[in-house]
Amino acid sequence: MPVVAQFEITYTQFLDEHGKAQQELPEFAADADEMARMYRFMHLTRVFDRRCINLQRTGQVGTIASSNGHEAAQIGLAAAMRPEDVLAPSYREHGAVIWRGVRMSQLLAVWGGDERGHNWDGARHDFPYCVPIATQCLHAAGAALAFKMRGDEACAVALCGDGATSEGAFYEALNAAGAMNLPVVFWVTNNRYAISMPVEGQTAAQTLAQKAIAVGISGEQVDGNDLIAVRNAAEIATQRARSGGGATLVEALSYRLADHTTADDATRYRPDEEVEQASRRAPLHRMKRFMEARFGWTDEQETALIEELEAEVEKEVEAYLATPRPKIEEIFEHQFANMPAALEAQREIARRYPVPD
Amino acid sequence: MANLTLVEAVNQALAWEMAHDETVVVFGEDVGVNGGVFRATVGLQEKFGIERVFDTPLAEAMIAGLSVGMATQGFKPVPEVQFMGFIYPALDQIVSHASRMRNRTRGRLTCPMVLRAPFGTGIRAPEHHSESTEAFFAHMPGVRVVIPSSPVRAYGLLLSAIRDPDPVVFLEPKRIYRAFRQEVPDNGEGLPLDKAFVTRPGTDVTLITWGASALETWNAAGELADEGIDCEVMDLATVSPMDKETILESVSRTGRAVIVHEAAISGGLGGEVAAVLASEGLYSLEAPVIRVGGYDAVPPLARMEYGYIPGVQRIKDAVHECMES
């Protein structure tokens, strides 16, 4: 019988878990300043994340999703984007949105239960965190359609996790991107778990990347804990999109080193040894080895950097904590461009009742 | 007899019915190994096996659609959607299929399934974890919408929902999942799905409520009693189809009604209760019917959520307004 379709999925890794180069590195990896900048943001992501968890434990923010273990996937991707591109992030992408110019105090506001945080600085045209699963993939496809119709040389990037690949919205977005040749990148950080469900429970497919094949777009797998592999794949995919070459699905293999959120307890469903093993492959560890070997990065520099970042995060925490509480009137103000009279009347009622903290 | 919280009573009802009816299956996201993010299904997989209690891929339309398929073929699926804010992909399956399978096949195929979901505000959760959109489902003919507001009613109503030959959307008020305990005998006795529950008899005014708002309504009634206003409190429980008879009977005695719910007021089910009173109970009324609900705004994030839902003072003010007019 004739074979009518065949496919293969490539896997790219530049640095092994000890930070040693496995093949010739892309050009940007020789740029000491750029590499230092990305390394700094990876650490910032980690320091911020650690502080967030601590704020949750002391009741100063609500439930929060940790990005521990995703530093390379988030920073490498964000660094390949241009300011005019648009990002549609899931709720776990603190590093990527901070790179895009969002203030940490604003992210804290979001997790602290204050909508004003989503009116954020930086990439004002980016989407807010998406809490429903995979729906942002369609928004990215829609944004990409807008770019295409207007002739903008820009692309849209949707960030989601492995669990999202089971949702209808994910497939619909991929399919639209293929059918309409849209300038969009679907970035799946496969951290192996959707709350308690391991990725093997989501799909019988060998890879998530191959889901691209069914819709006729490019698909590849990269080591999502390898900053260089991430940045390289993101540059190729975004450039392909901007130049009219169509959409790409990238599956970045990583591991969720934290609980799903602070409301979760991952010890109920996965063994400690697995987490321990995964933490040995963590992205920061491997980048440190690389920075040492390539650019003579020292332990003193490392300590000084972390101290500096801790101070930077603390300033943002202070700014967050010093922000006056929202007023109940504010829940009405952005429902419509012009407030209907009926809503004005409700606002007057709401004003009469103090809001318990 | 066990002293249970509402969520534990849900678990007890699921366990009872699974033990007594082998066609009952439980599935959804994180319901198996993890026992549900609110622990509603904890221990069920150990007890009944991975064939009958299982985790699914992350897809709500799939969860509801698989249930429709299974239900038509002799199973009684009791799927869980993790939060009501994520139920909307499943809406298509409930609205387009589950609710009308019996009608469009003239009874040849039916959908005895119970879609469970925690709903409502009050636990300082992130965005999309606080919705009360029961009216979406109540608007659909062919589907029952049941909302327990105590451990005893959670147990009895869930049993009856699973035994019901038609689809039920069973919404659990997570704000009161662990608010108080009750003795809940594990005797397999269901509670009627066509009856509202009078939880506090009174003579001056009828307070009609459901879900987590039952708690504030109850507390308001207690404080009003100290002022000499004797409130009858009614938990509507099955909000669709609605038990008009109990509503009309109560208001025929009290002559006054205040409706309290957490969902946005406009298009909320309080309007349906008010319509019943206006069309069939008008001559009993001594005062305008008053509705107290969530504002017509997106449920706010945690900092403002208790400003959004009706608090005890707002309910008391509404009762005063009703008593004085």
Side-chain angles (χ1 to χ4, degrees), chain B residues 228-267:
Chain B
I229 301 173
D230 187 15
C231 300
E232 177 143 310
V233 179
M234 186 185 303
D235 173 17
L236 210 48
T238 298
V239 297
S240 181
M242 209 172 260
D243 172 14
K244 291 196 226 176
E245 206 180 309
T246 304
I247 297 169
L248 290 165
E249 188 282 322
S250 172
V251 175
S252 75
R253 285 184 285 104
T254 61
R256 295 169 199 272
V258 173
I259 305 152
V260 186
H261 61 64
E262 196 174 299
I265 195 86
S266 294

Side-chain angles (χ1 to χ4, degrees), chain A residues 82 84-86 125 143-156 182-183 238 241-244:
Chain A
R82 294 179 184 166
E84 62 271 25
D85 295 336
V86 67
H125 58 300
L145 179 57
F147 294 154
K148 186 181 171 182
M149 288 173 73
R150 236 180 3 228
D152 294 350
E153 203 196 305
C155 68
L182 300 177
T238 51
R242 289 186 209 105
S243 61

Side-chain angles (χ1 to χ4, degrees), chain A residues 226-246:
Chain A
D226 171 1
L227 179 77
I228 295 175
V230 167
R231 166 101 186 233
N232 185 61
E235 274 186 359
I236 294 168
T238 51
Q239 202 39 47
R240 178 184 293 137
R242 289 186 209 105
S243 61

Side-chain angles (χ1 to χ4, degrees), chain B residues 33-225:
Chain B
V33 178
N34 197 34
V37 296
F38 288 102
R39 331 298 310 139
T41 55
V42 75
L44 296 181
Q45 193 176 69
E46 287 91 325
K47 237 180 259 172
F48 301 105
I50 200 163
E51 304 266 291
R52 293 180 67 200
V53 182
F54 54 92
D55 291 319
T56 64
L58 202 174
E60 298 74 17
M62 179 214 68
I63 289 169
L66 288 179
S67 303
V68 170
M70 292 180 79
T72 60
Q73 305 304 319
F75 278 88
K76 286 185 181 167
V78 188
E80 175 181 294
V81 166
Q82 204 160 69
F83 288 89
M84 194 175 200
F86 307 131
I87 211 168
Y88 308 117
L91 199 60
D92 185 26
Q93 291 292 335
I94 300 300
V95 168
S96 306
H97 300 293
S99 70
R100 59 172 73 196
M101 191 63 83
R102 176 185 295 282
N103 180 64
R104 55 197 282 262
T105 63
R106 304 281 89 185
R108 180 171 61 81
L109 296 177
T110 59
C111 261
M113 58 179 277
V114 181
L115 186 70
R116 293 180 42 249
F119 84 119
T121 60
I123 62 160
R124 296 182 64 80
E127 206 180 352
H128 301 282
H129 290 66
S130 308
E131 338 295 291
S132 296
T133 48
E134 63 272 21
F136 287 177
F137 293 95
H139 190 58
M140 296 320 301
V143 58
R144 282 193 167 73
V145 182
V146 179
I147 301 175
S149 68
S150 75
V152 166
R153 287 193 290 285
Y155 179 78
L157 291 171
L158 183 52
L159 285 176
S160 296
I162 300 172
R163 293 165 190 168
D164 194 82
D166 289 307
V168 175
V169 173
F170 194 84
L171 301 173
E172 299 163 10
K174 60 180 180 286
R175 183 154 62 87
I176 58 169
Y177 256 160
R178 296 181 173 82
F180 56 98
R181 291 178 176 275
Q182 275 179 333
E183 294 294 334
V184 187
D186 195 12
N187 54 15
E189 279 177 26
L191 285 168
L193 297 183
D194 56 359
K195 270 283 169 218
F197 298 87
V198 174
T199 56
R200 178 188 176 113
T203 54
D204 294 337
V205 54
T206 305
L207 310 188
I208 301 158
T209 188
W210 56 89
S213 283
L215 189 65
E216 283 84 15
T217 306
W218 177 266
N219 289 339
E223 291 184 21
L224 288 161

